[in-house]
């Protein structure tokens, strides 16, 4: 299930975000987490089962788009559907009010999710 990021999850959130190629630099990563803490247009969610296993971050742009700008899953728990589930949840939460879209950092995986959904629809 999703939990909204809070300061007490800072370490785990930073660890997860650091798997994104553009967040390898610690200074950049600290700026990113600060932005999620302070900017009301930046929303970070953690995927929690027994442990926190993933994170997805959205930025509201011009009150129109919900841009998925971070998506990351703990390497030991990849390929079991957590990434796709997080994208689905974001679509459910934001899809009525905003156009959910990717940026260049998340495009590849979001495209993959859309392709898989379309294929499932065709098979129904
Ligand atoms: C991308 C990521 C979040 C996927 O999480 P996950 O929980 O393993 O994803 P799921 O289990 O829901 O989906 C797995 C499928 O996505 C594919 N996939 C994994 N990473 C991908 C990527 N970067 N682009 C496109 N497809 C990708 C897998 O090959 C697999 O395909 P299959 O279902 O046809 O076998 C995870 O690999 C990750 O944390 N990567 C590092 C961070 C990163 O680079 N994020 C940006 C990605 S664009």
């Amino acid at each position: 299930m999703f939990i909204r990021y809070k300061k007490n999850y800072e370490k785990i959130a930073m660890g997860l975000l650091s798997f994104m190629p553009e967040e390898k630099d610690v200074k950049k990563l600290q700026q990113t987490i600060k932005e999620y803490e302070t900017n009301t247009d930046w929303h970070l969610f953690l995927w929690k089962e027994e442990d926190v296993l993933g994170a997805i971050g959205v930025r509201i742009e011009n009150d129109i788009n919900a841009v998925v700008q971070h998506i990351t899953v703990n390497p030991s728990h990849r390929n079991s559907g957590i990434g796709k589930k997080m994208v689905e949840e974001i679509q459910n939460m934001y899809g009525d009010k905003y156009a959910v879209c990717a940026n260049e950092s998340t495009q590849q995986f979001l495209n993959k999710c859309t392709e898989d959904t379309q294929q499932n629809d065709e098979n129904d």
Side-chain angles (χ1 to χ4, degrees), residues 79 81 83-85 88 108-124:
N79 292 310
K84 277 184 210 161
K85 232 182 267 169
E88 247 172 57
Q108 262 195 338
F109 184 67
L110 263 69
N111 282 350
K112 158 84 181 154
C113 291
T114 312
E115 282 163 20
D116 287 355
T117 309
Q118 280 166 355
Q119 256 169 19
N120 288 342
D121 288 351
E122 279 163 23
N123 294 338
D124 276 349

Coordinates of all heavy atoms in Angstrom, one line a residue, residues 79 81 83-85 88 108-124:
N79 N 10.8 -6.9 -10.6 CA 10.1 -7.9 -11.5 C 9.1 -8.7 -10.8 O 8.8 -9.8 -11.1 CB 11.2 -8.8 -12.1 CG 12.0 -8.1 -13.1 OD1 11.5 -7.4 -14.0 ND2 13.3 -8.2 -12.9
G81 N 6.1 -6.8 -10.0 CA 4.9 -6.0 -10.3 C 4.7 -4.8 -9.4 O 3.7 -4.1 -9.6
G83 N 6.5 -1.9 -9.4 CA 6.6 -0.7 -10.3 C 5.2 -0.5 -11.0 O 4.7 0.7 -10.9
K84 N 4.7 -1.5 -11.6 CA 3.4 -1.3 -12.3 C 2.3 -0.9 -11.4 O 1.5 -0.1 -11.7 CB 3.1 -2.6 -13.1 CG 3.8 -2.7 -14.4 CD 3.3 -4.0 -15.1 CE 4.4 -4.5 -16.0 NZ 4.3 -5.9 -16.4
K85 N 2.3 -1.6 -10.2 CA 1.2 -1.3 -9.2 C 1.3 0.2 -8.8 O 0.3 0.8 -8.7 CB 1.4 -2.2 -8.0 CG 0.1 -2.9 -7.7 CD 0.3 -3.8 -6.5 CE 0.7 -5.2 -6.8 NZ 1.1 -6.0 -5.7
E88 N -0.2 2.3 -11.5 CA -1.6 2.2 -11.5 C -2.3 3.0 -10.4 O -3.3 3.7 -10.6 CB -2.0 0.7 -11.2 CG -2.6 -0.1 -12.3 CD -2.7 -1.5 -11.9 OE1 -3.3 -1.9 -10.9 OE2 -2.0 -2.3 -12.7
Q108 N 10.6 5.5 -20.2 CA 10.8 4.1 -20.6 C 9.8 3.2 -19.9 O 9.1 2.4 -20.5 CB 12.2 3.7 -20.4 CG 13.1 3.8 -21.5 CD 14.4 3.0 -21.2 OE1 14.7 2.7 -20.1 NE2 15.1 2.6 -22.3
F109 N 9.9 3.3 -18.6 CA 9.1 2.4 -17.8 C 7.6 2.7 -17.9 O 6.8 1.7 -18.0 CB 9.5 2.4 -16.3 CG 8.8 1.3 -15.5 CD1 9.0 0.0 -15.7 CD2 7.8 1.7 -14.5 CE1 8.3 -1.0 -15.0 CE2 7.2 0.7 -13.8 CZ 7.4 -0.6 -14.1
L110 N 7.2 3.9 -17.9 CA 5.8 4.3 -18.1 C 5.2 3.8 -19.4 O 4.1 3.3 -19.5 CB 5.5 5.8 -17.8 CG 5.0 6.0 -16.4 CD1 6.1 5.8 -15.4 CD2 4.5 7.4 -16.2
N111 N 6.1 3.9 -20.5 CA 5.7 3.4 -21.8 C 5.4 1.9 -21.7 O 4.4 1.4 -22.2 CB 6.7 3.7 -22.9 CG 6.7 5.1 -23.3 OD1 5.8 5.9 -23.0 ND2 7.8 5.5 -24.1
K112 N 6.3 1.3 -21.0 CA 6.2 -0.2 -20.9 C 4.9 -0.5 -20.2 O 4.2 -1.5 -20.6 CB 7.4 -0.7 -20.1 CG 7.3 -2.0 -19.4 CD 7.6 -3.1 -20.3 CE 7.4 -4.4 -19.6 NZ 7.1 -5.5 -20.4
C113 N 4.5 0.2 -19.1 CA 3.3 0.0 -18.4 C 2.1 0.2 -19.3 O 1.1 -0.6 -19.3 CB 3.1 0.9 -17.2 SG 4.3 0.5 -15.9
T114 N 2.1 1.3 -20.1 CA 1.0 1.6 -21.0 C 0.8 0.4 -22.1 O -0.3 0.0 -22.3 CB 1.2 2.9 -21.7 OG1 1.6 3.9 -20.8 CG2 0.0 3.4 -22.5
E115 N 2.0 0.0 -22.6 CA 1.9 -1.1 -23.6 C 1.3 -2.3 -23.0 O 0.5 -3.0 -23.7 CB 3.4 -1.4 -24.1 CG 3.9 -0.4 -25.1 CD 5.4 -0.6 -25.3 OE1 6.0 -1.6 -24.9 OE2 6.1 0.4 -25.7
D116 N 1.8 -2.7 -21.8 CA 1.2 -3.9 -21.2 C -0.3 -3.8 -21.0 O -1.0 -4.7 -21.2 CB 2.0 -4.2 -19.9 CG 3.4 -4.7 -20.1 OD1 3.8 -4.9 -21.3 OD2 4.1 -4.8 -19.1
T117 N -0.7 -2.6 -20.5 CA -2.2 -2.4 -20.3 C -2.9 -2.6 -21.6 O -4.0 -3.2 -21.6 CB -2.4 -1.0 -19.7 OG1 -1.5 -0.8 -18.6 CG2 -3.8 -0.8 -19.2
Q118 N -2.4 -2.0 -22.6 CA -3.1 -2.0 -23.9 C -3.2 -3.5 -24.4 O -4.2 -4.0 -24.8 CB -2.4 -1.2 -25.0 CG -2.7 0.3 -24.8 CD -1.8 1.2 -25.6 OE1 -0.8 0.7 -26.2 NE2 -2.1 2.5 -25.7
Q119 N -2.1 -4.2 -24.2 CA -2.1 -5.6 -24.6 C -3.1 -6.4 -23.8 O -3.9 -7.2 -24.3 CB -0.7 -6.3 -24.4 CG 0.0 -6.4 -25.7 CD 1.5 -6.7 -25.5 OE1 1.9 -7.2 -24.4 NE2 2.3 -6.5 -26.5
N120 N -3.2 -6.2 -22.5 CA -4.2 -6.9 -21.6 C -5.6 -6.6 -22.1 O -6.4 -7.4 -22.2 CB -4.0 -6.5 -20.2 CG -2.8 -7.1 -19.6 OD1 -2.2 -8.0 -20.1 ND2 -2.3 -6.5 -18.5
D121 N -5.8 -5.3 -22.4 CA -7.2 -4.9 -22.9 C -7.5 -5.6 -24.2 O -8.7 -6.1 -24.3 CB -7.2 -3.4 -23.2 CG -7.2 -2.6 -21.8 OD1 -7.3 -3.2 -20.8 OD2 -7.1 -1.3 -21.9
E122 N -6.6 -5.7 -25.1 CA -6.8 -6.4 -26.4 C -7.1 -7.9 -26.1 O -7.9 -8.5 -26.9 CB -5.6 -6.3 -27.3 CG -5.6 -5.0 -28.0 CD -4.2 -4.7 -28.6 OE1 -3.4 -5.6 -28.9 OE2 -3.9 -3.5 -28.8
N123 N -6.5 -8.5 -25.1 CA -6.7 -9.9 -24.8 C -8.1 -10.2 -24.1 O -8.5 -11.3 -24.0 CB -5.6 -10.5 -24.0 CG -4.3 -10.5 -24.8 OD1 -4.3 -10.4 -26.0 ND2 -3.2 -10.5 -24.1
D124 N -8.7 -9.1 -23.6 CA -9.9 -9.3 -22.8 C -11.1 -9.7 -23.7 O -11.1 -9.3 -24.9 CB -10.3 -8.0 -22.1 CG -9.5 -8.0 -20.7 OD1 -8.9 -9.0 -20.4 OD2 -9.5 -6.9 -20.1

